[in-house]
Amino acid sequence: DAGVTQSPTHLIKTRGQHVTLRCSPISGHKSVSWYQQVLGQGPQFIFQYYEKEERGRGNFPDRFSARQFPNYSSELNVNALLLGDSALYLCASSYNRAGSDEQYFGPGTRLTVT
Amino acid sequence: ILNVEQSPQSLHVQEGDSTNFTCSFPSSNFYALHWYRWETAKSPEALFVMTLNGDEKKKGRISATLNTKEGYSYLYIKGSQPEDSATYLCASISGGYQKVTFGTGTKLQVIP
């Protein structure tokens, strides 16, 4: 079975632009979470989606939004990009939304904002 | 404790040595504690999910304990091997997945 996949792998954008990152969970998994990881820090929780609804949100501005599709894949959108948005964006899937479920991470999307 | 803190930040041990790291987390509204291993150029890999006070989990040479009353978890590696070299992250889940907080990790290097 395929693991969690993310696209694109790398991305370079200019300040003020918009970006869309994509994530496909493991088959059968209904929950997708998004994280931002800046060098030297642990991943920061952005969103959790379960059954196409937002179930958890971290301390990120409204420029960050996401959605989950009927096939449980997910998109993370970031508007009006800032230099500080440069980071590795990780997606993780789990079977349900409980914190007692193991999460499986994708390889990440490296976003560079210039 | 308001945030998740991990210590030490980094660690160098000789092959064959046993080692342990600490994860401290807020004990209020605790739901679960996750441990991950993150090797360079790979995705974080789940090691353990712990939910009950006094929980002990083991996977091969790696084990973990949990104390939810005082808000800490220990990760132990017995007989470290070079392939154990990685960053070990813990994440505290509170409020039924309303809040997920990762520590900054402990970077382990095992010297052959």
Side-chain angles (χ1 to χ4, degrees):
Chain A
D1 277 344
V4 177
T5 59
Q6 291 186 243
S7 63
T9 308
H10 295 88
L11 200 50
I12 299 174
K13 290 284 191 178
T14 304
R15 273 178 299 177
Q17 284 188 316
H18 160 270
V19 69
T20 297
L21 310 181
R22 294 178 176 84
C23 171
S24 291
I26 289 172
S27 177
H29 283 191
K30 300 178 182 179
S31 175
V32 169
S33 296
W34 286 96
Y35 297 88
Q36 180 196 67
Q37 201 257 337
V38 174
L39 202 60
Q41 297 182 20
Q44 301 288 311
F45 174 61
I46 310 175
F47 289 111
Q48 187 204 33
Y49 274 77
Y50 177 71
E51 290 286 12
K52 292 153 285 194
E53 289 189 15
E54 182 185 304
R55 303 290 183 152
R57 173 186 273 260
N59 294 327
F60 280 80
D62 292 343
R63 299 185 295 109
F64 288 76
S65 64
R67 54 181 177 166
Q68 187 177 34
F69 298 100
N71 66 353
Y72 301 110
S73 67
S74 178
E75 281 182 356
L76 176 70
N77 295 285
V78 187
N79 292 323
L81 284 166
L82 303 173
L83 293 179
D85 295 331
S86 296
L88 179 68
Y89 288 84
L90 292 164
C91 167
S93 78
S94 57
Y95 179 70
N96 65 38
R97 67 176 294 251
S100 53
D101 248 15
E102 272 195 2
Q103 285 195 108
Y104 295 82
F105 280 84
T109 294
R110 173 74 61 187
L111 172 66
T112 302
V113 182
T114 62
Chain B
I1 297 271
L2 295 178
N3 293 315
V4 177
E5 297 171 3
Q6 290 189 247
S7 62
Q9 275 190 313
S10 66
L11 196 51
H12 290 75
V13 301
Q14 291 292 133
E15 182 175 353
D17 285 351
S18 294
T19 186
N20 64 86
F21 333 128
T22 305
C23 172
S24 301
F25 55 88
S27 53
S28 63
N29 213 14
F30 171 85
Y31 190 83
L33 193 283
H34 292 217
W35 280 102
Y36 295 91
R37 172 170 58 205
W38 197 354
E39 295 178 66
T40 304
K42 293 188 178 180
S43 310
E45 173 198 352
L47 288 173
F48 303 113
V49 178
M50 309 180 81
T51 56
L52 300 175
N53 186 43
D55 226 358
E56 290 189 30
K57 298 223 171 176
K58 188 174 181 182
K59 189 182 284 189
R61 295 179 290 100
I62 305 177
S63 59
T65 60
L66 178 68
N67 183 322
T68 60
K69 293 186 193 303
E70 296 182 40
Y72 65 84
S73 176
Y74 294 137
L75 188 80
Y76 301 91
I77 302 179
K78 186 177 176 182
S80 302
Q81 299 297 308
E83 58 264 31
D84 296 328
S85 297
T87 295
Y88 290 82
L89 290 164
C90 67
S92 168
I93 317 291
S94 59
Y97 226 110
Q98 295 303 306
K99 189 171 170 65
V100 180
T101 309
F102 274 84
T104 52
T106 292
K107 187 171 183 178
L108 172 68
Q109 186 166 353
V110 181
I111 303 161

